[in-house]
Amino acid sequence: MAGRLRAAVVGVRGMGIGHIKAILALPEMYELAAICDINPETARKVSEEYKVPGYLSLADMLKHEKPDVVSLATPHPFHCAGAVACARAGVHVLVEKPIASTVSEADRMIQAHKRAGTVLSVVFQQRYQPLQRTIRKLVIGDAIGEITRIHMTATCFRSDFYYKLVGWRGTWEGEGGGVLLNQAPHALDQYLWQSGLEVKTVIGRCEAFMHPIETEDRASAIVTFANGAMGTLVASTTDAPGIYRIEMVGDKGAIVFENGKASIAVNDVPTREFNAKCREEWGSPKAEWKDVVPEDPGYPYRSHDACFYHLGLQIRGEKSEYVPGEEGRKSLELANAIILSGWKGGSVKCPVSRREYGEFLAGRIRAAKRGKKRTGERSG
Ligand SMILES: NC(=O)c1ccc[n+]([C@@H]2O[C@H](COP(=O)([O-])OP(=O)(O)OC[C@H]3O[C@@H](n4cnc5c(N)ncnc54)[C@H](O)[C@@H]3O)[C@@H](O)[C@H]2O)c1
């Protein structure tokens, strides 16, 4: 494809401004064509500031601007309708995380773009950080052997003020979940992408512990993977200071990522082999912890600019590291499974039953509308 791609951004109050800046940071690849926001004041302000046409509806913008690419930075429940409308208009899409609120919406988005022959990509900017890429390369390259256990802690703090400031946050109708859909998706994506593991079953626990919100501000889960590995995880918006940690243990050693640093230990003898041969009461494989040194990815982009850069390469038919819709659906599948198990009880098999999840969410939205108080409610 010759020439610059005409890109337009939908939802320009918060993250959408980051999309605009990322597009403007890639002037050889993109031209900012237009913006759209259902809030007239936001649309006017941003359109004036960036000197591009502003629209109040995606349909109008598609009709009048005919962009090549649309990025969606609206609350998650609009991601599906927006991405499907773009596919029907033959427009490529970059959609914010989570890809959608429900897995069936993600299915529809993926199908629509497949049918249209357009690219659907999901914003998981952490995949482009050198340290995160290097961890994945080591694990997928068998540096610690087959994964036998993995744990994720993704905790942070959000205040009541944060939830009250923007009406859709922490509501079933406005986002379809809580911390698992809003703050934890990056960590859930790393958990699955770096390990390469496939989720089989989930037992979750969800609760509105600290905040007066409808959805979970604290969640934990026990995850069983297809290869038999044991997974555990916690996510919250109730912990200060927050901790971001992923630990992966394999048959040959372990890798731990915590708050921006990572270390690896490789055993002198693989664990199962050592176990079969060991004849000492307190014997154990020997290993030394070493820092993981990040590899330069070979491009200068690290955040949303990297998401747009790789999408652009993919659209041009060049070699890219874009994140396809199917990849974005994986962390949503896990989040939906924890939510379903956590609020309903019992173990949930993956892929999640689309029908059961749809009925569950519709029930939660109906109950919330009836004004049922949910603060302090917990499951399990
Ligand atoms: N990648 C990241 O690190 C990251 C960070 C923050 C938010 N996000 C994601 O970005 C999305 C938006 O979050 P935010 O915090 O920027 O929200 P926000 O509420 O600050 O902004 C959303 C904007 O979308 C507009 N909008 C809502 N429905 C619309 C529609 N149908 N058509 C056009 N405009 C519409 C709203 O008026 C608002 O201006 C969420 O999915 C969130 O998970 C991602």
Side-chain angles (χ1 to χ4, degrees), residues 10-16 36-39 42 56-58 72-76 78-79 96-98 123 125 166 168-169 181-182 186 304:
V10 184
V12 289
R13 177 191 169 274
M15 202 57 252
C36 165
D37 200 292
I38 44 165
N39 182 320
T42 305
L56 300 182
S57 97
L58 171 62
L72 297 168
T74 63
H76 354 304
F78 182 68
H79 291 180
E96 264 302 342
K97 53 61 32 186
V123 173
Q125 73 269 25
V166 176
W168 57 268
R169 290 177 181 154
L181 286 195
N182 196 326
H186 289 298
H304 279 77

Side-chain angles (χ1 to χ4, degrees), residues 18-39:
H19 288 210
I20 292 173
K21 289 182 177 161
I23 291 165
L24 296 176
L26 295 160
E28 279 161 25
M29 194 174 248
Y30 291 102
E31 163 195 352
L32 181 65
I35 61 93
C36 165
D37 200 292
I38 44 165
N39 182 320

Side-chain angles (χ1 to χ4, degrees), residues 186-199:
H186 289 298
L188 291 174
D189 179 59
Q190 299 291 311
Y191 187 70
L192 299 175
W193 177 66
Q194 289 179 334
S195 67
L197 293 174
E198 191 192 324
V199 178

Side-chain angles (χ1 to χ4, degrees), residues 66-358:
K66 304 207 178 325
D68 301 302
V69 176
V70 161
S71 72
L72 297 168
T74 63
H76 354 304
F78 182 68
H79 291 180
C80 177
V84 170
C86 289
R88 287 186 182 142
V91 173
H92 307 289
V93 165
L94 179 65
V95 61
E96 264 302 342
K97 53 61 32 186
I99 181 171
S101 294
T102 70
V103 273
S104 59
E105 289 172 339
D107 295 343
R108 287 206 294 282
M109 295 162 76
I110 291 165
Q111 269 164 21
H113 280 272
K114 202 172 252 176
R115 222 174 285 132
T118 41
V119 179
L120 170 67
S121 185
V122 186
V123 173
F124 276 119
Q125 73 269 25
Q126 291 196 4
R127 288 193 180 199
Y128 305 109
Q129 287 174 14
L131 183 56
Q132 303 291 11
R133 291 173 86 255
T134 308
I135 294 171
R136 166 167 159 98
K137 197 173 156 193
L138 285 166
V139 175
I140 300 300
D142 205 37
I144 59 166
E146 189 183 1
I147 305 278
T148 52
R149 188 184 70 74
I150 175 166
H151 175 76
M152 175 196 105
T153 302
T155 59
C156 64
F157 180 76
R158 296 289 186 272
S159 63
D160 285 353
F161 179 79
Y162 161 91
Y163 283 108
K164 279 185 201 138
L165 187 67
V166 176
W168 57 268
R169 290 177 181 154
T171 65
W172 288 111
E173 188 169 35
E175 57 178 335
V179 63
L180 290 166
L181 286 195
N182 196 326
Q183 289 77 22
H186 289 298
L188 291 174
D189 179 59
Q190 299 291 311
Y191 187 70
L192 299 175
W193 177 66
Q194 289 179 334
S195 67
L197 293 174
E198 191 192 324
V199 178
K200 209 169 125 195
T201 59
V202 173
I203 298 173
R205 178 185 163 96
C206 293
E207 55 192 314
F209 170 72
M210 185 180 281
H211 303 99
I213 61 173
E214 296 164 8
T215 58
E216 77 288 348
D217 61 7
R218 210 160 80 153
S220 57
I222 298 171
V223 184
T224 305
F225 293 98
N227 76 338
M230 169 199 270
T232 48
L233 63 88
V234 292
S236 84
T237 57
T238 62
D239 296 15
I243 296 172
Y244 184 0
R245 178 180 167 99
I246 293 183
E247 54 185 58
M248 288 179 261
V249 180
D251 192 46
K252 294 188 199 164
I255 287 193
V256 175
F257 169 85
E258 186 162 342
N259 299 335
K261 287 192 176 150
S263 45
I264 181 168
V266 178
N267 297 338
D268 59 346
V269 181
T271 313
R272 283 195 176 96
E273 185 187 328
F274 184 94
N275 187 42
K277 291 183 183 158
C278 179
R279 297 295 176 266
E280 290 171 43
E281 186 176 6
W282 306 109
S284 170
K286 290 183 184 51
E288 236 179 81
W289 286 100
K290 291 185 181 150
D291 288 347
V292 174
V293 182
E295 279 178 17
D296 184 345
Y299 46 80
Y301 313 111
R302 299 287 182 264
S303 187
H304 279 77
D305 50 0
C307 303
F308 278 97
Y309 172 69
H310 288 287
L311 171 69
L313 293 179
Q314 185 65 24
I315 292 170
R316 288 176 178 175
E318 294 175 33
K319 189 168 174 284
S320 85
E321 292 176 24
Y322 91 111
V323 180
E326 288 86 346
E327 279 290 302
R329 184 172 53 191
K330 289 181 181 172
S331 49
L332 178 65
E333 189 94 48
L334 176 53
N336 278 186
I338 302 168
I339 290 173
L340 190 60
S341 166
W343 290 104
K344 275 187 83 175
S347 164
V348 167
K349 276 200 189 103
C350 283
V352 173
S353 156
R354 275 53 182 156
R355 183 194 48 76
E356 191 181 357
Y357 199 81

